[in-house]
Amino acid sequence: MTDSKAQDHVLIFDTTLRDGEQSPGATMTHEEKLEIAAMLDEMGVDIIEAGFPIASEGDFNAVSEIAKRAEHSVICGLARANAADIDRCWEAVKHAKQPRIHTFIGTSPLHRDIPNLTKDEMAGRIHETVTQARNLCDNVQWSPMDATRTEEDYLCRVIEIAIKAGATTINIPDTVGYTAPRESADLIRMLIEKVPGADEITFATHCHNDLGMATANSLAAVEAGARQIECTINGLGERAGNTALEEVVMALKVRNDIMPYRTGIDTQKIMNISRRVATVSGFPVQYNKAIVGKNAFAHESGIHQDGMLKNAETFEIMRPEDVGLAETNLVLGKHSGRAALKAKLSELGYNLADNQLKDVFVRFKALADRKKEVYEDDLLALMRDSSSDAEHDRIQVKFLRVICGTEAPQSADLTLSIDGVDHQTTAQGDGPVDATFNAVKTLFPHEVNLQLYQVHAVTEGTDAQATVSVRMEEDGKIATGQSADTDTVVASAKAYVNALNRLLVRREKTAPAAIA
Ligand code: KIV
Ligand code: ZN
């Protein structure tokens, strides 16, 4: 096994920035991708799949920049089975201290039909493309997409070809999330036994969660001999998502008694990266999500609380601090100073430069004036609005005043800065939010399908901030936006504009064909 440091070491391959970001609506900005990559690098992820370089200029630039900056992780880019994709991928990853090319083709009967290749023609293509990748880079990963629905004899044949052509990692994707744990293990075991050269390479497992079995399938594959798990933070990914990094890593740590494998992940960094990915992707973490959900360590029922007070192990199989959850939800208020804010933000994973802190502090003070107590969740919501790229957004909300009451129609007086120039209008609508969205449409004309408009209170009380999520669609491209404010209409306007800015970025992307 070329890549594994030891037989019990399981490599963690994170694809949040590729398979995760491919999820409709999860588009991240360039700066956000760099930030997430830096956090992955620092937390001990072995391989970061940083993107799909041929998909767009933006993807290419992000992969190149991540490659230049990575300190420890291998930086990998994705390429379909053709010369142009592989060349472009190499151009992006070649800057890394440790580059990897990941090339793939769909090998199941259904996927073979898409490029309309016979089995022999596809085998030839695999030989050519893996050889090309290996001539460029010493570290090559090959994936037979939809492996779990590919005929076993054909799967063995093409994997042998890829190994002979120089692949150093063979990834076995369960592209449609169809496999069950026993099958996942049997498949890896069969490949290790039957494919000549299998003991020279690392087998990886790449599971999708359509039946909720991605974590179980990945762990079963490891028990059968796979030594690389492909996963994403929060299980982000298309449809039901990918294997969640935090779940497999914590399962291997907590149940090391029956799964004696190690990863290099600093688990105390899990919570912060989970929050950041939720923020930048616009995909909130479900409250009862394993490991990183808001309720994962909350013990509210009387029996539980009583047991916890006597001995935390009564109901806790891992300690909150193991995943980086601070024990206290320290409250800040309007008398809290810059140092207290800085310390709290750093605990939450935001290490701000002085100029950034200055800006956030002004916003914090404004919030503390309106709200007596500022909780962690308030700060996280505040940081969503202070995302590093907001100042580069083409459209920004400058001023908003609405007139609402029992008499319709309601109206909104709105000023937007568009490409640096202020534009003002007054629009009417069926309620203040509708009037505000109409005003945005007047100032920046666009046709989108508003798929979701959701409001949540961040904390309790009538002075609580509202977090608003908006999802919009245009020609099959989806973008989400979020914002928080003690004024629900202001939060709505900002969330809408945030989604619109993301849609403008997404317009520039060409959809990569045939990838799950
Ligand atoms: O799910 C899948 O098959 C993929 C491949 C590109 C590895 O994401
Ligand atoms: Zn996938």
Coordinates of all heavy atoms in Angstrom, one line a residue, residues 422-497:
D422 N -24.4 53.5 -6.1 CA -25.6 53.4 -5.4 C -26.9 53.6 -6.3 O -26.9 54.5 -7.1 CB -25.7 54.5 -4.2 CG -24.8 54.0 -3.1 OD1 -24.2 52.9 -3.2 OD2 -24.7 54.8 -2.1
H423 N -27.9 52.8 -6.1 CA -29.2 52.9 -6.8 C -30.3 52.8 -5.8 O -30.2 52.0 -4.9 CB -29.3 51.8 -7.8 CG -28.2 51.7 -8.8 ND1 -28.3 52.3 -10.1 CD2 -27.0 51.1 -8.8 CE1 -27.2 52.0 -10.8 NE2 -26.4 51.4 -10.0
Q424 N -31.3 53.7 -6.0 CA -32.4 53.7 -5.0 C -33.7 53.5 -5.7 O -33.9 54.0 -6.8 CB -32.3 55.1 -4.3 CG -33.2 55.2 -3.1 CD -34.7 55.7 -3.5 OE1 -34.8 56.4 -4.5 NE2 -35.7 55.3 -2.7
T425 N -34.7 52.8 -5.0 CA -36.0 52.7 -5.5 C -37.0 52.5 -4.3 O -36.6 52.1 -3.2 CB -36.2 51.6 -6.5 OG1 -37.4 51.7 -7.2 CG2 -36.2 50.2 -5.8
T426 N -38.3 52.7 -4.6 CA -39.3 52.3 -3.7 C -40.3 51.3 -4.4 O -40.6 51.6 -5.6 CB -40.1 53.5 -3.2 OG1 -39.2 54.4 -2.6 CG2 -41.2 53.2 -2.2
A427 N -40.5 50.2 -3.8 CA -41.4 49.2 -4.4 C -42.5 48.7 -3.4 O -42.3 48.8 -2.2 CB -40.6 48.0 -4.9
Q428 N -43.6 48.2 -4.0 CA -44.6 47.7 -3.1 C -44.7 46.2 -3.2 O -44.2 45.6 -4.2 CB -46.0 48.3 -3.6 CG -45.9 49.8 -3.4 CD -47.3 50.5 -3.6 OE1 -48.1 50.0 -4.4 NE2 -47.5 51.6 -2.9
G429 N -45.4 45.6 -2.3 CA -45.6 44.1 -2.3 C -46.6 43.7 -1.3 O -47.1 44.5 -0.5
D430 N -46.7 42.4 -1.3 CA -47.7 41.8 -0.4 C -47.0 41.4 0.9 O -46.5 40.3 1.1 CB -48.2 40.5 -1.1 CG -49.4 39.9 -0.4 OD1 -49.8 40.5 0.6 OD2 -49.9 38.8 -0.8
G431 N -46.8 42.4 1.7 CA -46.0 42.3 2.9 C -44.6 42.9 2.7 O -44.2 43.1 1.6
P432 N -43.9 43.2 3.8 CA -42.7 43.9 3.7 C -41.5 43.1 3.0 O -40.7 43.7 2.3 CB -42.3 44.2 5.2 CG -43.1 43.2 6.0 CD -44.3 43.0 5.2
V433 N -41.5 41.8 3.2 CA -40.5 41.0 2.6 C -40.7 41.0 1.1 O -39.7 41.2 0.3 CB -40.4 39.6 3.2 CG1 -39.4 38.7 2.4 CG2 -40.1 39.7 4.6
D434 N -41.9 40.8 0.7 CA -42.2 40.8 -0.8 C -41.9 42.1 -1.4 O -41.3 42.2 -2.5 CB -43.7 40.4 -0.9 CG -44.1 40.1 -2.4 OD1 -43.3 39.4 -3.0 OD2 -45.1 40.7 -2.9
A435 N -42.2 43.2 -0.7 CA -41.9 44.6 -1.2 C -40.4 44.7 -1.3 O -39.9 45.3 -2.3 CB -42.5 45.6 -0.2
T436 N -39.7 44.2 -0.4 CA -38.2 44.4 -0.4 C -37.6 43.6 -1.6 O -36.8 44.1 -2.3 CB -37.6 43.9 0.9 OG1 -38.2 44.6 2.0 CG2 -36.1 44.0 1.0
F437 N -38.1 42.3 -1.8 CA -37.6 41.5 -2.9 C -37.9 42.2 -4.2 O -37.1 42.2 -5.2 CB -38.1 40.1 -2.8 CG -37.5 39.3 -1.7 CD1 -36.7 39.8 -0.7 CD2 -37.9 37.9 -1.5 CE1 -36.1 39.1 0.3 CE2 -37.3 37.2 -0.5 CZ -36.5 37.7 0.4
N438 N -39.1 42.8 -4.3 CA -39.5 43.5 -5.5 C -38.6 44.7 -5.8 O -38.2 44.9 -6.9 CB -41.0 44.0 -5.5 CG -41.9 42.8 -5.6 OD1 -41.6 41.8 -6.1 ND2 -43.2 43.0 -5.1
A439 N -38.2 45.3 -4.7 CA -37.3 46.5 -4.9 C -35.9 46.0 -5.4 O -35.3 46.6 -6.3 CB -37.1 47.2 -3.5
V440 N -35.5 44.9 -4.9 CA -34.2 44.3 -5.4 C -34.3 44.0 -6.9 O -33.4 44.4 -7.7 CB -33.8 43.0 -4.7 CG1 -32.5 42.5 -5.2 CG2 -33.6 43.3 -3.2
K441 N -35.5 43.4 -7.3 CA -35.7 43.1 -8.7 C -35.7 44.3 -9.6 O -35.3 44.3 -10.7 CB -37.0 42.3 -8.9 CG -36.8 40.8 -8.5 CD -38.0 40.0 -8.7 CE -38.1 38.8 -7.8 NZ -39.4 38.5 -7.2
T442 N -36.3 45.4 -9.0 CA -36.3 46.6 -9.8 C -34.9 47.2 -10.1 O -34.6 47.6 -11.2 CB -37.2 47.7 -9.1 OG1 -38.4 47.1 -8.7 CG2 -37.4 48.9 -9.9
L443 N -34.1 47.1 -9.0 CA -32.8 47.7 -9.1 C -31.8 46.8 -9.9 O -30.9 47.3 -10.6 CB -32.2 48.0 -7.7 CG -33.0 49.1 -7.0 CD1 -32.4 49.2 -5.6 CD2 -32.9 50.4 -7.7
F444 N -32.0 45.5 -9.8 CA -31.1 44.6 -10.5 C -32.0 43.5 -11.1 O -32.2 42.5 -10.6 CB -30.1 43.9 -9.5 CG -29.0 43.1 -10.2 CD1 -27.8 43.7 -10.5 CD2 -29.2 41.8 -10.4 CE1 -26.8 43.0 -11.2 CE2 -28.2 41.0 -11.1 CZ -27.0 41.6 -11.5
P445 N -32.5 43.9 -12.3 CA -33.5 43.0 -12.9 C -33.0 41.6 -13.2 O -31.8 41.4 -13.6 CB -33.8 43.7 -14.3 CG -33.4 45.1 -14.1 CD -32.2 45.0 -13.2
H446 N -33.7 40.6 -12.8 CA -33.4 39.2 -12.9 C -34.6 38.3 -12.8 O -35.6 38.7 -12.2 CB -32.3 38.8 -11.9 CG -32.8 38.9 -10.5 ND1 -32.8 40.1 -9.8 CD2 -33.4 38.1 -9.6 CE1 -33.3 40.0 -8.6 NE2 -33.7 38.8 -8.5
E447 N -34.5 37.1 -13.4 CA -35.7 36.2 -13.3 C -35.2 35.0 -12.6 O -34.3 34.2 -13.1 CB -36.1 35.7 -14.8 CG -36.8 36.8 -15.6 CD -38.2 37.1 -15.0 OE1 -38.8 36.1 -14.3 OE2 -38.7 38.2 -15.1
V448 N -35.6 34.8 -11.4 CA -35.2 33.5 -10.7 C -36.4 32.9 -10.1 O -37.4 33.5 -9.9 CB -34.1 33.8 -9.5 CG1 -32.8 34.3 -10.1 CG2 -34.7 34.7 -8.5
N449 N -36.2 31.6 -9.8 CA -37.3 30.9 -9.1 C -36.9 30.8 -7.7 O -35.9 30.2 -7.3 CB -37.3 29.5 -9.8 CG -38.3 28.6 -9.2 OD1 -39.1 29.0 -8.4 ND2 -38.1 27.3 -9.6
L450 N -37.7 31.5 -6.8 CA -37.4 31.4 -5.4 C -37.8 30.1 -4.8 O -39.0 29.9 -4.7 CB -38.1 32.6 -4.7 CG -37.7 32.8 -3.2 CD1 -36.2 33.2 -3.1 CD2 -38.5 34.0 -2.6
Q451 N -36.9 29.2 -4.5 CA -37.3 27.9 -4.0 C -37.5 27.8 -2.5 O -38.2 26.9 -2.1 CB -36.2 26.9 -4.4 CG -36.1 26.7 -5.9 CD -35.2 25.5 -6.2 OE1 -34.2 25.2 -5.5 NE2 -35.4 24.8 -7.3
L452 N -36.8 28.7 -1.8 CA -37.0 28.6 -0.3 C -36.8 29.9 0.3 O -35.9 30.7 -0.1 CB -35.9 27.6 0.2 CG -35.7 27.5 1.7 CD1 -36.5 26.4 2.2 CD2 -34.2 27.3 2.1
Y453 N -37.6 30.2 1.3 CA -37.4 31.4 2.1 C -37.8 31.0 3.5 O -38.9 30.5 3.8 CB -38.4 32.5 1.6 CG -38.4 33.7 2.6 CD1 -37.4 34.5 2.8 CD2 -39.6 33.8 3.5 CE1 -37.4 35.5 3.7 CE2 -39.6 34.9 4.4 CZ -38.5 35.7 4.5 OH -38.5 36.7 5.5
Q454 N -36.8 31.0 4.4 CA -37.0 30.4 5.7 C -36.4 31.3 6.8 O -35.3 31.9 6.6 CB -36.2 29.1 5.8 CG -36.7 28.0 6.6 CD -36.0 26.7 6.3 OE1 -34.8 26.7 6.4 NE2 -36.8 25.7 6.0
V455 N -37.2 31.5 7.9 CA -36.7 32.3 9.0 C -36.6 31.5 10.2 O -37.5 30.7 10.6 CB -37.7 33.5 9.2 CG1 -37.2 34.4 10.3 CG2 -38.1 34.2 8.0
H456 N -35.5 31.6 11.0 CA -35.3 31.0 12.3 C -34.8 32.0 13.3 O -34.0 32.8 13.0 CB -34.1 29.9 12.2 CG -34.5 28.7 11.5 ND1 -35.5 27.8 12.0 CD2 -34.1 28.1 10.3 CE1 -35.6 26.8 11.2 NE2 -34.8 27.0 10.2
A457 N -35.3 31.8 14.5 CA -34.7 32.7 15.6 C -33.4 32.1 16.0 O -33.4 30.9 16.3 CB -35.7 32.8 16.7
V458 N -32.4 32.9 16.1 CA -31.0 32.3 16.5 C -31.1 31.9 18.0 O -30.5 30.9 18.4 CB -29.9 33.4 16.3 CG1 -28.6 32.9 16.8 CG2 -29.8 33.7 14.8
T459 N -31.6 32.8 18.8 CA -31.7 32.4 20.3 C -33.2 32.7 20.7 O -34.0 32.9 19.9 CB -30.8 33.3 21.1 OG1 -31.0 34.7 20.8 CG2 -29.3 33.0 20.8
E460 N -33.4 32.7 22.0 CA -34.8 33.0 22.5 C -35.0 34.4 22.8 O -34.1 35.2 22.8 CB -35.0 32.1 23.7 CG -35.3 30.7 23.4 CD -34.9 29.7 24.5 OE1 -34.9 30.2 25.7 OE2 -34.7 28.6 24.2
G461 N -36.3 34.8 23.0 CA -36.6 36.2 23.3 C -37.0 37.0 22.1 O -36.6 36.7 21.0
T462 N -37.7 38.1 22.4 CA -38.2 38.9 21.3 C -37.1 39.8 20.7 O -37.3 40.3 19.6 CB -39.4 39.9 21.7 OG1 -38.9 40.6 22.9 CG2 -40.6 39.1 22.0
D463 N -36.0 39.9 21.4 CA -34.9 40.7 20.8 C -33.9 39.7 20.0 O -32.8 40.1 19.6 CB -34.1 41.4 21.8 CG -33.4 40.5 22.9 OD1 -33.7 39.3 22.9 OD2 -32.6 41.1 23.6
A464 N -34.3 38.5 19.8 CA -33.4 37.5 19.2 C -33.2 37.9 17.7 O -34.0 38.6 17.1 CB -34.1 36.1 19.2
Q465 N -32.0 37.5 17.2 CA -31.7 37.7 15.8 C -32.5 36.7 15.0 O -32.7 35.6 15.5 CB -30.2 37.5 15.5 CG -29.3 38.5 16.1 CD -27.9 38.3 15.4 OE1 -27.7 38.9 14.4 NE2 -27.1 37.5 16.0
A466 N -32.8 37.1 13.8 CA -33.5 36.1 12.9 C -32.4 35.7 11.9 O -31.7 36.6 11.3 CB -34.6 36.8 12.2
T467 N -32.3 34.4 11.6 CA -31.5 34.0 10.5 C -32.4 33.7 9.3 O -33.3 32.9 9.5 CB -30.7 32.7 10.9 OG1 -29.8 33.0 11.9 CG2 -29.9 32.2 9.7
V468 N -32.1 34.3 8.2 CA -32.9 34.0 7.0 C -32.1 33.2 6.0 O -31.0 33.6 5.7 CB -33.5 35.3 6.4 CG1 -34.2 35.1 5.2 CG2 -34.3 36.1 7.5
S469 N -32.7 32.2 5.5 CA -32.1 31.4 4.4 C -33.0 31.6 3.1 O -34.2 31.5 3.2 CB -32.0 29.9 4.7 OG -31.4 29.7 5.9
V470 N -32.3 31.8 2.0 CA -33.0 31.9 0.7 C -32.3 31.0 -0.3 O -31.1 30.9 -0.3 CB -32.8 33.4 0.2 CG1 -33.2 33.5 -1.3 CG2 -33.7 34.4 1.0
R471 N -33.1 30.3 -1.0 CA -32.5 29.5 -2.1 C -33.2 29.9 -3.4 O -34.4 29.9 -3.5 CB -32.7 28.0 -1.8 CG -32.0 27.1 -2.9 CD -32.0 25.7 -2.5 NE -33.3 25.0 -2.4 CZ -33.7 24.2 -1.4 NH1 -32.9 23.9 -0.4 NH2 -34.9 23.7 -1.5
M472 N -32.4 30.2 -4.4 CA -33.0 30.6 -5.7 C -32.4 29.7 -6.9 O -31.3 29.2 -6.7 CB -32.8 32.1 -6.0 CG -31.4 32.5 -5.9 SD -31.2 34.3 -6.2 CE -32.1 35.1 -5.0
E473 N -33.2 29.6 -7.9 CA -32.7 28.8 -9.1 C -32.9 29.6 -10.4 O -33.8 30.3 -10.5 CB -33.6 27.5 -9.1 CG -33.3 26.5 -10.1 CD -34.1 26.6 -11.4 OE1 -35.1 27.4 -11.4 OE2 -33.7 26.1 -12.4
E474 N -31.9 29.4 -11.2 CA -31.9 30.0 -12.6 C -31.3 29.1 -13.6 O -30.2 28.7 -13.4 CB -31.1 31.4 -12.5 CG -31.1 32.1 -13.9 CD -30.0 33.1 -13.9 OE1 -28.8 32.8 -13.8 OE2 -30.3 34.3 -14.0
D475 N -32.0 28.6 -14.5 CA -31.6 27.7 -15.6 C -30.9 26.5 -14.9 O -29.8 26.1 -15.3 CB -30.6 28.4 -16.5 CG -31.2 29.5 -17.3 OD1 -32.5 29.4 -17.5 OD2 -30.5 30.5 -17.7
G476 N -31.4 25.9 -13.9 CA -30.9 24.7 -13.3 C -29.8 25.0 -12.3 O -29.3 24.1 -11.6
K477 N -29.3 26.3 -12.2 CA -28.3 26.6 -11.3 C -28.9 27.1 -10.0 O -29.8 27.9 -10.1 CB -27.3 27.6 -11.9 CG -26.6 27.1 -13.0 CD -25.4 28.0 -13.5 CE -24.5 27.2 -14.4 NZ -24.2 27.8 -15.6
I478 N -28.4 26.6 -8.9 CA -29.0 26.9 -7.6 C -28.0 27.7 -6.7 O -26.9 27.4 -6.7 CB -29.5 25.7 -6.9 CG1 -30.6 25.0 -7.7 CG2 -30.0 25.9 -5.5 CD1 -31.1 23.7 -7.2
A479 N -28.5 28.7 -6.0 CA -27.7 29.4 -5.1 C -28.4 29.7 -3.8 O -29.6 29.9 -3.8 CB -27.2 30.7 -5.7
T480 N -27.7 29.6 -2.7 CA -28.4 29.8 -1.4 C -27.7 31.1 -0.8 O -26.5 31.3 -1.0 CB -28.2 28.7 -0.4 OG1 -26.9 28.3 -0.4 CG2 -29.0 27.5 -0.9
G481 N -28.5 31.8 0.0 CA -27.9 32.9 0.8 C -28.4 32.9 2.2 O -29.5 32.4 2.4
Q482 N -27.7 33.5 3.1 CA -28.1 33.5 4.5 C -27.7 34.8 5.1 O -26.7 35.4 4.7 CB -27.3 32.5 5.3 CG -27.9 31.1 5.3 CD -27.2 30.2 6.2 OE1 -26.3 30.6 6.9 NE2 -27.7 29.0 6.4
S483 N -28.5 35.3 6.0 CA -28.1 36.5 6.8 C -28.8 36.5 8.1 O -29.8 35.8 8.3 CB -28.4 37.7 6.0 OG -27.8 38.8 6.6
A484 N -28.3 37.3 9.0 CA -28.9 37.4 10.3 C -29.0 38.8 10.8 O -28.1 39.6 10.5 CB -28.2 36.6 11.4
D485 N -30.1 39.2 11.4 CA -30.2 40.6 12.0 C -31.4 40.5 13.0 O -32.2 39.6 12.9 CB -30.6 41.5 10.8 CG -30.3 43.0 11.2 OD1 -31.1 43.6 11.9 OD2 -29.3 43.5 10.7
T486 N -31.4 41.5 13.9 CA -32.5 41.5 14.8 C -33.8 42.0 14.1 O -34.9 41.8 14.6 CB -32.2 42.5 16.0 OG1 -31.8 43.7 15.5 CG2 -31.3 41.9 17.0
D487 N -33.6 42.6 12.9 CA -34.7 43.0 12.1 C -34.9 41.9 11.0 O -34.0 41.8 10.1 CB -34.4 44.4 11.5 CG -35.6 44.9 10.7 OD1 -36.2 44.1 9.9 OD2 -35.9 46.1 10.8
T488 N -36.0 41.2 11.0 CA -36.2 40.1 10.1 C -36.2 40.6 8.6 O -35.7 39.9 7.7 CB -37.5 39.4 10.4 OG1 -37.6 39.1 11.8 CG2 -37.7 38.1 9.6
V489 N -36.7 41.8 8.3 CA -36.8 42.2 6.9 C -35.4 42.6 6.4 O -35.0 42.3 5.3 CB -37.7 43.4 6.8 CG1 -37.9 43.8 5.3 CG2 -39.1 43.1 7.4
V490 N -34.6 43.2 7.3 CA -33.2 43.5 6.9 C -32.4 42.2 6.6 O -31.7 42.0 5.6 CB -32.5 44.3 8.0 CG1 -31.0 44.4 7.7 CG2 -33.1 45.7 8.1
A491 N -32.6 41.2 7.5 CA -32.0 39.9 7.3 C -32.4 39.3 6.0 O -31.7 38.7 5.2 CB -32.3 38.9 8.5
S492 N -33.7 39.4 5.7 CA -34.3 38.9 4.4 C -33.6 39.5 3.2 O -33.3 38.9 2.3 CB -35.8 39.1 4.4 OG -36.4 38.5 5.5
A493 N -33.5 40.9 3.3 CA -33.0 41.6 2.1 C -31.5 41.1 1.9 O -31.1 40.8 0.8 CB -33.0 43.1 2.4
K494 N -30.8 41.0 3.0 CA -29.3 40.6 2.9 C -29.2 39.2 2.4 O -28.3 38.9 1.6 CB -28.6 40.8 4.2 CG -28.4 42.3 4.5 CD -27.6 42.5 5.7 CE -27.3 43.9 6.1 NZ -26.7 44.1 7.4
A495 N -30.1 38.3 2.9 CA -30.0 36.9 2.5 C -30.3 36.8 1.0 O -29.6 36.0 0.3 CB -30.9 36.0 3.3
Y496 N -31.3 37.5 0.5 CA -31.7 37.5 -0.9 C -30.5 38.0 -1.8 O -30.2 37.4 -2.7 CB -32.9 38.4 -1.1 CG -33.5 38.2 -2.5 CD1 -34.5 37.3 -2.7 CD2 -33.1 39.0 -3.5 CE1 -35.1 37.1 -4.0 CE2 -33.6 38.9 -4.8 CZ -34.6 37.9 -5.0 OH -35.1 37.8 -6.3
V497 N -29.9 39.1 -1.3 CA -28.8 39.7 -2.1 C -27.6 38.7 -2.1 O -26.9 38.6 -3.0 CB -28.5 41.1 -1.6 CG1 -27.2 41.6 -2.1 CG2 -29.6 42.0 -2.0

